[in-house]
Amino acid sequence: MDFKVATLLKLSSGNKKLETVSASFQVEWFRRSCYIDGTVLLTKTDVGIWVSAHLKANNIAECGSCLEEYKEVISLEIEEEYIPLFNLLTGERNEIEEIYKDNFHILEDNVLDLSGAVSQYLSLQSPINKKCVEDCRGLCIDCGVNLNIEECGCNKNRRNTKFATLLESFKVSE
Ligand SMILES: [Zn+2]
Ligand SMILES: [Zn+2]
């Protein structure tokens, strides 16, 4: 997810450039690649380039309750200021001020690579409890049928077991 920003870096503060993104994206901790699309507004600042990205990450996830695959869409609203590591004219390494040490950087080829930020925002926005639908009924703990698709008879018997009592107590504490 690279954007050439040499031209923008030469302009004065406030100049903008709108880019679009439409790319498949591989994230290490995602087991699959996801598809990212949206817009990226690049604005020249005094020290670098401000990135305002409105992206959607489309990916195939596995429901934590019923284990079925479903389409997951994660919205990413990225706001980050990228600081150039190298002086555009001299090619020398810039002295990065302490307050910009944690920012993302533009490397010597004057390419702004958004993938680090996308990966970071994805990990923050990605739900821990993945659910295919809000009220997914999951799998029956006794016979294993997908309760979204079919009913089973286990539910009636379960009320008498110790395990059911335990489940009930969880419900109360939730
Ligand atoms: Zn589910
Ligand atoms: Zn069952």
Side-chain angles (χ1 to χ4, degrees):
M1 236 168 284
D2 291 345
F3 304 101
K4 292 195 176 72
V5 291
T7 313
L8 187 58
L9 281 172
K10 285 178 200 150
L11 301 175
S12 53
S13 300
N15 277 280
K16 293 172 195 295
K17 196 179 177 201
L18 186 67
E19 302 269 6
T20 55
V21 178
S22 166
S24 78
F25 185 68
Q26 190 76 43
V27 193
E28 263 175 53
W29 48 268
F30 261 38
R31 271 177 293 158
R32 292 164 244 249
S33 63
C34 59
Y35 178 79
I36 306 253
D37 69 334
T39 58
V40 180
L41 182 64
L42 305 171
T43 306
K44 175 72 172 59
T45 65
D46 289 342
V47 290
I49 290 177
W50 190 276
V51 173
S52 298
H54 307 281
L55 305 174
K56 286 213 183 326
N58 306 273
N59 112 74
I60 303 291
E62 188 181 82
C63 176
S65 297
C66 69
L67 310 180
E68 291 293 322
E69 290 185 340
Y70 68 101
K71 274 189 193 163
E72 179 188 60
V73 181
I74 300 170
S75 292
L76 303 173
E77 302 292 327
I78 297 173
E79 298 289 341
E80 293 287 343
E81 189 170 26
Y82 278 67
I83 310 297
L85 275 189
F86 293 86
N87 185 296
L88 193 65
L89 302 173
T90 65
E92 282 171 28
R93 206 179 165 96
N94 288 332
E95 199 61 54
I96 305 289
E97 285 179 53
E98 196 59 38
I99 53 163
Y100 297 120
K101 282 275 197 291
D102 293 332
N103 286 52
F104 290 100
H105 297 127
I106 300 164
L107 303 182
E108 58 192 320
D109 49 7
N110 295 309
V111 165
L112 189 156
D113 180 7
L114 203 60
S115 48
V118 169
S119 184
Q120 194 180 93
Y121 277 67
L122 258 180
S123 68
L124 293 172
Q125 297 297 320
S126 194
I128 296 162
N129 296 314
K130 292 187 182 292
K131 284 212 165 180
C132 59
V133 287
E134 195 52 52
D135 56 350
C136 172
R137 303 176 64 199
L139 302 176
C140 171
I141 53 167
D142 293 324
C143 71
V145 307
N146 183 340
L147 296 171
N148 299 309
I149 300 169
E150 47 180 308
E151 293 284 343
C152 63
C154 307
N155 198 28
K156 290 170 206 135
N157 311 328
R158 201 185 297 146
R159 299 228 174 270
N160 306 325
T161 66
K162 269 188 187 170
F163 193 55
T165 322
L166 195 67
L167 279 180
E168 288 302 321
S169 66
F170 272 133
K171 269 182 200 152
V172 173
S173 61
E174 256 173 25

